Amino acid sequence: MKKKLMTSAVLITFFVLSVWYIHHTFFFSPLSFEQDDITYQSWTDYQRPMTLTYYDLDGGRTSYQIEGDEEIRSFFKAMKQCPSSAEGNEGEQVLGALRISSARDIVLEAYFYNDFWHVLQKDHERLEITQKLEGLINQL
């Protein structure tokens, strides 16, 4: 009986410490992480602290930086909800650039144009700038 109780205590302690470590080290949980065109890397590549930097290239070259988890999650969510866009003009001017960095590496870079945006690391279709995403950018 004592052996089973000790084994249970060790397993529960290991489980609690594992959950604590994952929550404090990684931005995403392995159970809730969805890999797609925006979050295309492994969930382990998104290590805390995460930093989102938006470069406003229209007019003055200013940059805005946020480090709050909830604000960065809002950007990820808004970006994932953007539908595909019709092809834009090749010669359009870049109005902004977005970079999301983890503790180890850059996990997302994107260029923003007038009506669309695209991820630089992944060669995929252009995406529309939705009102929700535009609102988040304008709040910076």
Side-chain angles (χ1 to χ4, degrees):
M1 180 73 171
K2 275 187 170 182
K3 194 171 189 177
K4 285 185 181 182
L5 189 59
M6 283 299 283
T7 303
S8 297
V10 167
L11 289 175
I12 289 171
T13 303
F14 177 75
F15 177 76
V16 168
L17 289 175
S18 297
V19 169
W20 179 86
Y21 174 76
I22 288 171
H23 178 73
H24 284 84
T25 304
F26 300 104
F27 190 74
F28 293 111
S29 161
L31 300 176
S32 64
F33 180 71
E34 292 181 29
Q35 199 169 19
D36 54 27
D37 285 342
I38 307 304
T39 51
Y40 57 89
Q41 297 181 18
S42 169
W43 69 273
T44 57
D45 291 333
Y46 299 89
Q47 288 191 7
R48 293 177 196 264
M50 297 282 285
T51 304
L52 182 144
T53 307
Y54 181 77
Y55 302 93
D56 187 359
L57 304 175
D58 190 26
R61 296 184 181 271
T62 56
S63 65
Y64 306 94
Q65 191 170 22
I66 56 176
E67 296 178 355
D69 286 355
E70 290 309 311
E71 292 93 348
I72 295 172
R73 285 185 202 285
S74 296
F75 267 91
F76 274 126
K77 184 177 180 181
M79 294 171 89
K80 288 181 177 200
Q81 293 173 345
C82 292
S84 296
S85 173
E87 290 295 316
N89 296 334
E90 289 297 320
E92 281 194 59
Q93 180 182 357
V94 177
L95 300 178
L98 179 112
R99 173 182 285 165
I100 300 177
S101 304
S102 73
R104 292 187 340 183
D105 200 7
I106 296 169
V107 294
L108 180 73
E109 285 184 306
Y111 278 164
F112 287 81
Y113 298 87
N114 212 16
D115 295 324
F116 67 93
W117 65 279
H118 70 90
V119 177
L120 295 179
Q121 292 104 320
K122 293 289 279 186
D123 188 25
H124 67 352
E125 73 273 3
R126 297 167 189 216
L127 302 163
E128 286 182 28
I129 297 177
T130 60
Q131 288 181 348
K132 183 175 182 177
L133 182 58
E134 187 173 5
L136 288 171
I137 292 170
N138 289 338
Q139 286 178 358
L140 295 175

PDB file of all heavy atoms in Angstrom, residues 67-78:
ATOM      1  N   GLU A  67       4.663  43.011 -25.689  1.00  0.00           N
ATOM      2  CA  GLU A  67       5.180  41.770 -25.118  1.00  0.00           C
ATOM      3  C   GLU A  67       4.130  41.002 -24.339  1.00  0.00           C
ATOM      4  O   GLU A  67       4.403  39.916 -23.849  1.00  0.00           O
ATOM      5  CB  GLU A  67       6.385  42.075 -24.225  1.00  0.00           C
ATOM      6  CG  GLU A  67       7.551  42.648 -25.001  1.00  0.00           C
ATOM      7  CD  GLU A  67       8.734  42.996 -24.134  1.00  0.00           C
ATOM      8  OE1 GLU A  67       8.641  42.885 -22.893  1.00  0.00           O
ATOM      9  OE2 GLU A  67       9.763  43.398 -24.692  1.00  0.00           O
ATOM     10  N   GLY A  68       2.938  41.551 -24.224  1.00  0.00           N
ATOM     11  CA  GLY A  68       1.884  40.879 -23.478  1.00  0.00           C
ATOM     12  C   GLY A  68       1.341  39.668 -24.215  1.00  0.00           C
ATOM     13  O   GLY A  68       1.046  39.739 -25.413  1.00  0.00           O
ATOM     14  N   ASP A  69       1.210  38.563 -23.500  1.00  0.00           N
ATOM     15  CA  ASP A  69       0.730  37.325 -24.116  1.00  0.00           C
ATOM     16  C   ASP A  69      -0.639  37.484 -24.757  1.00  0.00           C
ATOM     17  O   ASP A  69      -0.864  37.012 -25.874  1.00  0.00           O
ATOM     18  CB  ASP A  69       0.669  36.194 -23.084  1.00  0.00           C
ATOM     19  CG  ASP A  69       2.047  35.666 -22.720  1.00  0.00           C
ATOM     20  OD1 ASP A  69       3.043  36.102 -23.331  1.00  0.00           O
ATOM     21  OD2 ASP A  69       2.124  34.805 -21.814  1.00  0.00           O
ATOM     22  N   GLU A  70      -1.566  38.141 -24.067  1.00  0.00           N
ATOM     23  CA  GLU A  70      -2.931  38.254 -24.592  1.00  0.00           C
ATOM     24  C   GLU A  70      -2.976  39.092 -25.862  1.00  0.00           C
ATOM     25  O   GLU A  70      -3.729  38.770 -26.781  1.00  0.00           O
ATOM     26  CB  GLU A  70      -3.875  38.817 -23.523  1.00  0.00           C
ATOM     27  CG  GLU A  70      -4.134  37.843 -22.389  1.00  0.00           C
ATOM     28  CD  GLU A  70      -4.567  36.455 -22.863  1.00  0.00           C
ATOM     29  OE1 GLU A  70      -5.484  36.350 -23.709  1.00  0.00           O
ATOM     30  OE2 GLU A  70      -3.978  35.464 -22.392  1.00  0.00           O
ATOM     31  N   GLU A  71      -2.192  40.160 -25.932  1.00  0.00           N
ATOM     32  CA  GLU A  71      -2.163  40.982 -27.138  1.00  0.00           C
ATOM     33  C   GLU A  71      -1.579  40.198 -28.312  1.00  0.00           C
ATOM     34  O   GLU A  71      -2.095  40.267 -29.428  1.00  0.00           O
ATOM     35  CB  GLU A  71      -1.344  42.267 -26.917  1.00  0.00           C
ATOM     36  CG  GLU A  71      -1.979  43.242 -25.951  1.00  0.00           C
ATOM     37  CD  GLU A  71      -1.499  43.044 -24.523  1.00  0.00           C
ATOM     38  OE1 GLU A  71      -0.847  42.028 -24.219  1.00  0.00           O
ATOM     39  OE2 GLU A  71      -1.794  43.917 -23.696  1.00  0.00           O
ATOM     40  N   ILE A  72      -0.528  39.443 -28.063  1.00  0.00           N
ATOM     41  CA  ILE A  72       0.075  38.634 -29.126  1.00  0.00           C
ATOM     42  C   ILE A  72      -0.883  37.536 -29.557  1.00  0.00           C
ATOM     43  O   ILE A  72      -1.035  37.256 -30.751  1.00  0.00           O
ATOM     44  CB  ILE A  72       1.435  38.058 -28.673  1.00  0.00           C
ATOM     45  CG1 ILE A  72       2.426  39.213 -28.442  1.00  0.00           C
ATOM     46  CG2 ILE A  72       1.982  37.072 -29.691  1.00  0.00           C
ATOM     47  CD1 ILE A  72       3.733  38.808 -27.814  1.00  0.00           C
ATOM     48  N   ARG A  73      -1.585  36.918 -28.615  1.00  0.00           N
ATOM     49  CA  ARG A  73      -2.597  35.905 -28.964  1.00  0.00           C
ATOM     50  C   ARG A  73      -3.705  36.519 -29.826  1.00  0.00           C
ATOM     51  O   ARG A  73      -4.202  35.886 -30.758  1.00  0.00           O
ATOM     52  CB  ARG A  73      -3.197  35.298 -27.703  1.00  0.00           C
ATOM     53  CG  ARG A  73      -2.298  34.328 -27.009  1.00  0.00           C
ATOM     54  CD  ARG A  73      -3.002  33.657 -25.835  1.00  0.00           C
ATOM     55  NE  ARG A  73      -2.057  33.133 -24.880  1.00  0.00           N
ATOM     56  CZ  ARG A  73      -1.335  32.032 -25.057  1.00  0.00           C
ATOM     57  NH1 ARG A  73      -1.468  31.339 -26.150  1.00  0.00           N
ATOM     58  NH2 ARG A  73      -0.491  31.639 -24.129  1.00  0.00           N
ATOM     59  N   SER A  74      -4.083  37.766 -29.530  1.00  0.00           N
ATOM     60  CA  SER A  74      -5.101  38.447 -30.336  1.00  0.00           C
ATOM     61  C   SER A  74      -4.632  38.611 -31.780  1.00  0.00           C
ATOM     62  O   SER A  74      -5.408  38.428 -32.712  1.00  0.00           O
ATOM     63  CB  SER A  74      -5.427  39.819 -29.745  1.00  0.00           C
ATOM     64  OG  SER A  74      -5.991  39.696 -28.480  1.00  0.00           O
ATOM     65  N   PHE A  75      -3.370  38.958 -31.962  1.00  0.00           N
ATOM     66  CA  PHE A  75      -2.826  39.086 -33.314  1.00  0.00           C
ATOM     67  C   PHE A  75      -2.826  37.730 -34.021  1.00  0.00           C
ATOM     68  O   PHE A  75      -3.229  37.634 -35.180  1.00  0.00           O
ATOM     69  CB  PHE A  75      -1.405  39.670 -33.290  1.00  0.00           C
ATOM     70  CG  PHE A  75      -1.379  41.155 -33.446  1.00  0.00           C
ATOM     71  CD1 PHE A  75      -1.411  41.980 -32.335  1.00  0.00           C
ATOM     72  CD2 PHE A  75      -1.322  41.744 -34.696  1.00  0.00           C
ATOM     73  CE1 PHE A  75      -1.382  43.350 -32.457  1.00  0.00           C
ATOM     74  CE2 PHE A  75      -1.299  43.115 -34.841  1.00  0.00           C
ATOM     75  CZ  PHE A  75      -1.327  43.921 -33.713  1.00  0.00           C
ATOM     76  N   PHE A  76      -2.355  36.690 -33.350  1.00  0.00           N
ATOM     77  CA  PHE A  76      -2.365  35.357 -33.965  1.00  0.00           C
ATOM     78  C   PHE A  76      -3.790  34.964 -34.377  1.00  0.00           C
ATOM     79  O   PHE A  76      -4.015  34.487 -35.481  1.00  0.00           O
ATOM     80  CB  PHE A  76      -1.808  34.295 -33.014  1.00  0.00           C
ATOM     81  CG  PHE A  76      -0.309  34.145 -33.065  1.00  0.00           C
ATOM     82  CD1 PHE A  76       0.447  34.231 -31.905  1.00  0.00           C
ATOM     83  CD2 PHE A  76       0.350  33.871 -34.250  1.00  0.00           C
ATOM     84  CE1 PHE A  76       1.821  34.074 -31.938  1.00  0.00           C
ATOM     85  CE2 PHE A  76       1.718  33.714 -34.296  1.00  0.00           C
ATOM     86  CZ  PHE A  76       2.464  33.818 -33.138  1.00  0.00           C
ATOM     87  N   LYS A  77      -4.751  35.183 -33.496  1.00  0.00           N
ATOM     88  CA  LYS A  77      -6.139  34.819 -33.774  1.00  0.00           C
ATOM     89  C   LYS A  77      -6.683  35.610 -34.959  1.00  0.00           C
ATOM     90  O   LYS A  77      -7.317  35.047 -35.857  1.00  0.00           O
ATOM     91  CB  LYS A  77      -7.004  35.052 -32.530  1.00  0.00           C
ATOM     92  CG  LYS A  77      -8.428  34.608 -32.687  1.00  0.00           C
ATOM     93  CD  LYS A  77      -9.210  34.798 -31.415  1.00  0.00           C
ATOM     94  CE  LYS A  77     -10.646  34.345 -31.599  1.00  0.00           C
ATOM     95  NZ  LYS A  77     -11.440  34.547 -30.391  1.00  0.00           N
ATOM     96  N   ALA A  78      -6.439  36.919 -34.986  1.00  0.00           N
ATOM     97  CA  ALA A  78      -6.915  37.758 -36.086  1.00  0.00           C
ATOM     98  C   ALA A  78      -6.258  37.361 -37.400  1.00  0.00           C
ATOM     99  O   ALA A  78      -6.916  37.339 -38.453  1.00  0.00           O
ATOM    100  CB  ALA A  78      -6.650  39.228 -35.774  1.00  0.00           C
TER     101      ALA A  78
END
